[in-house]
Amino acid sequence: MSLKGNIDLTRLPEHIAIIMDGNGRWASKHGKNRIFGHTNGVSSVRETSEGCAELGVKYLTLYAFSTENWNRPITEVSALMTLLLKTIKAELKTLLKNDIRLKVIGDMAKLPVGVAKELTDAMQRTANNKRMDLILALNYSGKSEIVRAVKEIATKVQKGEVSIDAINEQVVSDNLYTAGIPDPELLIRTSGEKRVSNFMLWQLAYAEYFFTDVFWPDFTREELYKAIIDFQNRERRFGKTSEQLVTK
Ligand code: IPE
Ligand code: IPE
Ligand code: MG
């Protein structure tokens, strides 16, 4: 029986972020090369995106490629870029059909030209979709994102557009890649690793973290439901005491 029925649809996280990890180990477990793992991870992306959209989650961010991932063997990096290109092309129809808007966070300027072009095209064609934002973190680094925001704010100060006194948390948020997107309430990381690996350092300040040993290619809708149910059973205190949260 599906766990879907155990989810309280009135208390869904508005934004879920996922560190999709474990493709390589999944492949070795099956006696195959790492690329095979990445290829099989695509179906989990589809499952999770559709699962989130059906439930009514408004934003789903997937960590697909970090700035550190350029340090992998060139053959793996190229295969990942080719897979990305193929997937965007193949899934565009489904995104349009499902009313999903595609966004990218990260430095797109350093992606292969063909990949950047396909992404830009898909973003433009889905720009008016309303059901859910699917946000891909590509060539993404949380620290670089903050440095970039600091530079943007400093430039505005220099031009006299913003005063130093006016800089607050909102101003910082507004200068991140995620400007206008609410912070994730739930972060999921697959494959048993318990670290954030430079992902959304500012935005995850108060997120609930859910770690599962399941490797990304094995992550299904039911695994997603488990994470959401776990999230709904937590008490989010935001610094207060448990007693203070009891509302009558
Ligand atoms: C996640 O799986 C995919 C990317 C980081 C692109 P990995 O490739 O990191 O798989 P493991 O962690 O080596 O098993
Ligand atoms: C994090 O996974 C990056 C992505 C999921 C894209 P990694 O597998 O690269 O992270 P580390 O190196 O184990 O921290
Ligand atoms: Mg990994």
Side-chain angles (χ1 to χ4, degrees):
M1 210 194 74
S2 173
L3 290 167
K4 196 175 181 180
N6 298 350
I7 296 176
D8 176 354
L9 295 176
T10 66
R11 291 174 50 247
L12 279 178
E14 191 182 12
H15 185 174
I16 299 178
I18 306 184
I19 301 176
M20 311 183 286
D21 199 8
N23 294 350
R25 281 163 284 162
W26 182 89
S28 352
K29 200 177 88 179
H30 292 270
K32 298 279 172 55
N33 67 20
R34 300 179 52 85
I35 317 293
F36 182 75
H38 298 313
T39 309
N40 277 272
V42 176
S43 52
S44 302
V45 171
R46 206 176 296 122
E47 274 270 300
T48 317
S49 308
E50 289 182 4
C52 280
E54 277 167 22
L55 285 172
V57 171
K58 299 307 286 181
Y59 303 88
L60 172 66
T61 301
L62 301 176
Y63 202 5
F65 194 85
S66 72
T67 53
E68 291 80 11
N69 288 145
W70 294 112
N71 297 320
R72 293 191 177 195
I74 179 74
T75 45
E76 181 169 346
V77 172
S78 312
L80 279 167
M81 292 299 153
T82 307
L83 182 62
L84 181 62
L85 188 69
K86 257 179 59 187
T87 308
I88 302 294
K89 271 191 186 170
E91 299 297 322
L92 179 61
K93 264 206 303 260
T94 316
L95 292 176
L96 290 166
K97 188 182 86 194
N98 290 339
D99 198 18
I100 295 174
R101 173 164 46 201
L102 184 75
K103 287 189 178 161
V104 170
I105 56 171
D107 185 1
M108 272 183 62
K110 300 212 174 65
L111 294 175
V113 185
V115 174
K117 199 179 147 291
E118 205 61 45
L119 284 166
T120 307
D121 178 56
M123 286 193 283
Q124 279 166 357
R125 291 183 59 187
T126 60
N128 293 321
N129 289 354
K130 298 267 176 326
R131 191 161 163 223
M132 184 181 86
D133 279 6
L134 174 63
I135 304 154
L136 296 182
L138 285 168
N139 189 23
Y140 176 88
S141 148
K143 284 194 176 182
S144 304
E145 180 183 36
I146 293 170
V147 170
R148 181 179 164 276
V150 169
K151 285 185 181 167
E152 294 213 349
I153 297 165
T155 307
K156 287 174 192 163
V157 170
Q158 204 172 36
K159 288 186 184 160
E161 293 169 10
V162 173
S163 76
I164 290 179
D165 283 345
I167 300 173
N168 56 22
E169 292 183 11
Q170 190 59 47
V171 170
V172 175
S173 292
D174 290 345
N175 283 279
L176 297 172
Y177 288 124
T178 48
I181 297 170
D183 288 345
E185 297 102 317
L186 171 61
L187 170 81
I188 299 170
R189 183 169 189 151
T190 57
S191 89
E193 306 297 356
K194 296 180 183 67
R195 52 177 172 264
V196 282
S197 301
N198 206 2
F199 188 46
M200 299 185 101
L201 300 178
W202 173 276
Q203 298 89 337
L204 292 173
Y206 245 114
E208 298 294 331
Y209 287 36
F210 179 86
F211 297 107
T212 168
D213 286 338
V214 169
F215 292 139
W216 180 248
D218 286 333
F219 194 85
T220 56
R221 272 174 161 78
E222 290 302 313
E223 298 298 328
L224 170 74
Y225 300 154
K226 272 186 214 165
I228 295 175
I229 292 163
D230 190 87
F231 167 84
Q232 294 189 329
N233 285 318
R234 300 197 193 177
E235 185 175 65
R236 304 192 77 206
R237 288 190 286 276
F238 299 102
K240 294 184 179 174
T241 67
S242 197
E243 292 70 26
Q244 285 177 294
L245 297 173
V246 181
T247 44
K248 291 268 154 56

